[in-house]
Amino acid sequence: MLVCDCNEVEFDEIKEAVKKYGDNLEAIMEETEAGTVCECCLEEDCDKVELPLALAIKKALEEL
């Protein structure tokens, strides 16, 4: 599931970062580079991705 179009970050990468950093957005962005280029995936209504970053973090926390 695509979370960041610019850096081709998938949900599994976000989930791994959440295991390390919890819901620390800055640390997750630094680890995965998600949300560091156009920042569209930081918005919940981004049409470039299947799951925006904030929702991906929330989903990962629920699954862990």
Side-chain angles (χ1 to χ4, degrees), residues 26-55:
E26 288 181 18
I28 292 167
M29 288 174 64
E30 187 173 315
E31 174 88 7
T32 64
E33 296 187 357
T36 60
V37 179
C38 82
E39 299 182 357
C40 180
C41 64
L42 296 177
E43 301 170 18
E44 287 196 21
D45 62 348
C46 177
D47 60 359
K48 293 182 177 184
V49 298
E50 297 169 281
L51 189 63
L53 184 55
L55 296 178

Side-chain angles (χ1 to χ4, degrees), residues 14-25:
I14 299 300
K15 192 171 179 179
E16 288 302 311
V18 167
K19 282 182 187 177
K20 290 183 188 178
Y21 304 110
D23 64 352
N24 184 327
L25 179 62

Side-chain angles (χ1 to χ4, degrees), residues 7-18:
N7 291 316
E8 299 177 0
V9 179
E10 296 287 334
F11 175 70
D12 290 340
E13 294 172 68
I14 299 300
K15 192 171 179 179
E16 288 302 311
V18 167

